[in-house]
Amino acid sequence: MSLSHTYMAHMTDLRIVITGWSHLLRTFIALGLLLALVGCQADTPPTPEDSVPRARELVDLRSRVLGYTAKLRADAPYSPPGKAQRVRLAKAVGSLLSGDAQEAERQLAPLGLGLTRLTDTDSGRRYDEIAATGPGRSARWGRLYLNADSAVRWNAQVPHPVSDRDTEVLGVRLLEENPGGALVLAGAHRRAGENGAADVAHREDSAFHAIVVELQKRGVPGVQLHGFTDSADRPYDAVVSTGAVETAPAEVVAMADRMDDKGLRVCRAWAARCPLEGRANVQGRSADREHARFVHVELARHARADDGRDTEEAIGALGGLVAGWTADG
């Protein structure tokens, strides 16, 4: 074979090698671009469409909430969600608070819960509701209402609706009358079920507790509303405490002072021995662990009923508290 033939054969083999490497290089580049694209998509924040629940309703918010609590009975069955269900619920709430409504919906569906964007016919304000989609166990786990027109800066907690009569009315009024709030509502009478299973203020195995703790982890302060009956050892209109904590921040002291200024007799648990201090309250204990602000408020009947002589004064003081939290946020 001549030198020229040998040279040509060598060049042909070299072109084959180079072409092969070119194809391989192009393949690697394409694969790299594809992986980068997938990675970018995984890190992409929720789109505006993701942030809005797909289900929407026009409702009277107060009727919606009070219609639900009106059905609660002390002799009704109740069983709490299991641990995996509570974890899933907390993730759903976290997704919703982070602006990913569709991920929240995906997490809620296996629990028998759904997410609905509500528009209140009275005020035009919008709220996102987590509630059961049908009858069954989850219908008695409670509900969550989040203000959808602004970031959530505070939450009102109602652990004993109907049992602590009219605390559910206080909760919905706070939500309606003050921006930036959420309402965490228990879904069973305190005496429902067996062995105190539905007393969510003293049980950690509830949907109520899972939601409150998720809010606490995100630094959202909460006020928990209770009611008491008049008795000789309770010569007060209100008992205010900070749960497991024995001190009170300035905004809580200011709320108690506003109640005093309006003529309510207030027992301050950080300064005196009070009945119903809420030190065994599990949401108060978790707030202490999470370093979240928590206020436990007990109100006499005449300071929480719709027609109570001191109800407007109590609502005004509570409104001042959450307004301060909104401003701090």
Side-chain angles (χ1 to χ4, degrees), residues 200-205 209-210 212-219 242-245 279-294:
V200 298
H202 300 97
R203 300 281 299 237
E204 294 185 344
D205 60 344
H209 186 71
V212 170
V213 172
E214 184 63 24
L215 289 164
Q216 290 172 346
K217 287 179 177 178
R218 291 168 177 269
T242 48
V245 182
R279 297 198 187 280
N281 183 286
V282 296
Q283 288 81 46
R285 290 178 175 179
S286 65
D288 188 27
R289 291 192 297 269
E290 300 295 339
H291 306 290
R293 288 171 287 181
F294 174 84

Side-chain angles (χ1 to χ4, degrees), residues 2-281:
S2 68
L3 183 60
S4 61
H5 281 100
T6 302
Y7 175 77
M8 292 301 295
H10 175 72
M11 290 304 293
T12 300
D13 291 341
L14 185 58
R15 281 196 299 270
I16 292 171
V17 170
I18 291 172
T19 302
W21 275 108
S22 297
H23 285 309
L24 188 59
L25 183 60
R26 282 198 295 269
T27 301
F28 277 126
I29 291 173
L31 182 60
L33 289 172
L34 178 62
L35 290 173
L37 179 60
V38 171
C40 288
Q41 288 177 339
D43 295 334
T44 300
T47 66
E49 291 77 16
D50 292 331
S51 67
V52 180
R54 284 171 286 198
R56 304 180 191 184
E57 291 186 38
L58 191 65
V59 302
D60 181 284
L61 182 68
R62 188 175 303 198
S63 297
R64 178 91 161 194
V65 174
L66 300 185
Y68 174 66
T69 58
K71 300 174 184 177
L72 306 187
R73 298 287 182 270
D75 58 355
Y78 171 83
S79 56
K83 182 177 180 180
Q85 292 172 314
R86 298 194 302 272
V87 169
R88 191 177 190 97
L89 175 58
K91 287 181 178 178
V93 172
S95 295
L96 183 56
L97 290 168
S98 297
D100 194 342
Q102 292 192 12
E103 174 60 18
E105 290 172 335
R106 189 184 71 80
Q107 294 283 352
L108 291 169
L111 303 175
L113 299 173
L115 176 62
T116 305
R117 170 65 57 86
L118 306 177
T119 301
D120 182 32
T121 53
D122 184 48
S123 65
R125 297 190 184 100
R126 300 177 302 163
Y127 303 89
D128 288 336
E129 174 197 66
I130 291 179
T133 54
R137 290 175 61 213
S138 60
R140 292 181 284 276
W141 290 348
R143 290 182 175 183
L144 173 64
Y145 293 87
L146 297 173
N147 189 310
D149 292 323
S150 63
V152 174
R153 303 298 187 191
W154 57 271
N155 72 95
Q157 304 160 19
V158 181
H160 301 144
V162 178
S163 174
D164 285 6
R165 185 176 174 185
D166 289 324
T167 51
E168 62 274 16
V169 178
L170 286 181
V172 75
R173 282 195 60 182
L174 277 178
L175 184 65
E176 286 180 318
E177 296 173 13
N178 300 277
L183 174 62
V184 189
L185 186 67
H189 191 285
R190 182 178 188 170
R191 294 194 295 275
E194 298 179 355
N195 302 317
D199 185 1
V200 298
H202 300 97
R203 300 281 299 237
E204 294 185 344
D205 60 344
S206 69
F208 181 92
H209 186 71
I211 292 170
V212 170
V213 172
E214 184 63 24
L215 289 164
Q216 290 172 346
K217 287 179 177 178
R218 291 168 177 269
V220 181
V223 55
Q224 191 167 113
L225 305 172
H226 293 263
F228 64 86
T229 55
D230 295 334
S231 66
D233 65 334
R234 301 170 185 174
Y236 306 104
D237 303 311
V239 178
V240 181
S241 74
T242 48
V245 182
E246 295 186 0
T247 58
E251 70 267 20
V252 179
V253 174
M255 182 191 71
D257 289 345
R258 281 193 293 270
M259 289 181 172
D260 259 341
D261 292 342
K262 296 296 184 179
L264 276 69
R265 297 163 297 172
V266 182
C267 189
R268 299 165 171 79
W270 58 90
R273 292 294 300 273
C274 302
L276 306 169
E277 292 181 342
R279 297 198 187 280
N281 183 286

Side-chain angles (χ1 to χ4, degrees), residues 302-320:
H302 56 82
R304 67 181 192 273
D306 254 350
D307 57 352
R309 68 176 185 270
D310 294 319
T311 299
E312 294 306 314
E313 287 74 12
I315 281 284
L318 290 165

